[in-house]
Amino acid sequence: GQQVMQIPQYQHVQEGEDFTTYCNSSTTLSNIQWYKQRPGGHPVFLIQLVKSGEVKKQKRLTFQFGEAKKNSSLHITATQTTDVGTYFCAGLGKLIFGQGTELSVKP
Amino acid sequence: KAGVTQTPRYLIKTRGQQVTLSCSPISGHRSVSWYQQTPGQGLQFLFEYFSETQRNKGNFPGRFSGRQFSNSRSEMNVSTLELGDSALYLCASSAQDRDYGYTFGSGTRLTVV
C-alpha cells in the first residue's frame, strides 16, 4: 500500500538557521499536503501542492513538489522559536501521513 | 464558523471495555477521517467517511469501527480495549474537494488501564 516516509525524524537548530524536511512516497501522489502540529496541539493545514515541480511560498516557508510527484520538501529560512512543532506531509488518496519531523529551535 | 468538535476530550477506560468517541465536523463538510496518534507511530489512518459511507479504511483490527450520520457527525468505536489502544484519537473534516486541507479537532485522549 501507499507509504509516505519523512526525514529527518528530529531536527534541532539554532534560531536563525535554516531547516528542511523531506517527504518521499512509494507511489505517485495526486497531490500532497503539509501540516504543522504545535506541542500539545493538533495538526493544522499549511498548504497543498498539486502540480509536478510546483513551488509555493508562505513567508519564510518554501514548499516543493517533485517532478515525478513522489517527493516533496519544506524549507524554512531563518527559523524562529515560533516555528517549533512537528511538520507532517500527507499524500492523497487516503490522507496518509509521514511520520513527521519534529523541529526544535534554540533561541 | 465553528471548528471540528470532538468529545470527550479525555477518557480513562479499563482493558476489555469498549469506548465510543464522537466528532462533529465543520458545517458543510461531508468527509470525516479518523486518526490514531501515538509517540512511536505518528498519525495512523483509521478510516474515512463521506456521506455516511466508509470511503477508505486503514490497517486496524476489526475492533475499531466507525460510522457517519446523515448530519455528517461521526462516531468511532473501539471494542475490547487493549493497553496499546491508549492514544490521542483525532478526527478531521474536509470539504468535498479537499483543496483547503483537512481541519482537525483537538482530539480525544484515551488512556486504557
Side-chain angles (χ1 to χ4, degrees):
Chain A
Q2 178 186 337
Q3 288 190 325
V4 177
M5 307 298 291
Q6 202 172 341
I7 56 170
Q9 190 173 358
Y10 303 98
Q11 186 77 55
H12 308 286
V13 300
Q14 193 77 33
E15 188 172 23
E17 292 182 338
D18 292 355
F19 159 77
T20 304
T21 174
Y22 300 91
C23 184
N24 293 288
S25 171
S26 56
T27 58
T28 301
L29 301 170
S30 57
N31 49 22
I32 194 162
Q33 296 181 350
W34 285 90
Y35 292 78
K36 176 184 178 181
Q37 185 174 20
R38 295 181 184 274
H42 54 271
V44 174
F45 175 73
L46 293 175
I47 208 161
Q48 174 172 275
L49 303 173
V50 178
K51 300 176 184 175
S52 169
E54 187 171 16
V55 178
K56 286 188 176 180
K57 294 191 175 185
Q58 289 180 350
K59 298 182 180 179
R60 294 178 294 105
L61 277 62
T62 302
F63 304 84
Q64 291 189 320
F65 203 7
E67 293 292 339
K69 299 184 75 174
K70 295 179 74 172
N71 58 76
S72 181
S73 65
L74 158 59
H75 179 83
I76 302 178
T77 303
T79 54
Q80 300 175 359
T81 55
T82 53
D83 296 324
V84 165
T86 301
Y87 293 85
F88 294 95
C89 62
L92 282 83
K94 311 174 191 180
L95 195 68
I96 303 297
F97 281 81
Q99 303 94 316
T101 296
E102 184 179 336
L103 173 65
S104 63
V105 180
K106 187 175 181 181
Chain B
K1 198 175 187 180
V4 177
T5 303
Q6 289 189 247
T7 57
R9 288 295 308 276
Y10 302 93
L11 207 49
I12 299 175
K13 288 286 189 179
T14 304
R15 191 170 48 181
Q17 288 186 312
Q18 74 166 22
V19 66
T20 299
L21 312 181
S22 179
C23 172
S24 294
I26 288 175
S27 177
H29 284 188
R30 293 160 64 190
S31 170
V32 173
S33 299
W34 288 89
Y35 292 85
Q36 181 193 67
Q37 187 172 34
T38 57
Q41 298 295 321
L43 278 161
Q44 299 292 310
F45 173 75
L46 281 155
F47 25 67
E48 179 187 13
Y49 287 88
F50 182 82
S51 294
E52 302 181 67
T53 301
Q54 189 179 84
R55 184 157 69 174
N56 286 302
K57 188 177 188 304
N59 298 321
F60 277 80
R63 300 186 297 108
F64 292 80
S65 63
R67 58 178 175 169
Q68 187 179 32
F69 302 96
S70 58
N71 62 358
S72 293
R73 190 178 72 85
S74 179
E75 290 181 346
M76 69 163 280
N77 183 278
V78 188
S79 62
T80 320
L81 284 165
E82 300 177 359
L83 296 178
D85 297 332
S86 295
L88 179 66
Y89 290 88
L90 290 161
C91 159
S93 75
S94 73
Q96 185 170 354
D97 59 14
R98 301 189 286 185
D99 283 352
Y100 295 98
Y102 285 70
T103 302
F104 281 80
S106 298
T108 295
R109 173 75 62 184
L110 172 65
T111 302
V112 182
V113 298

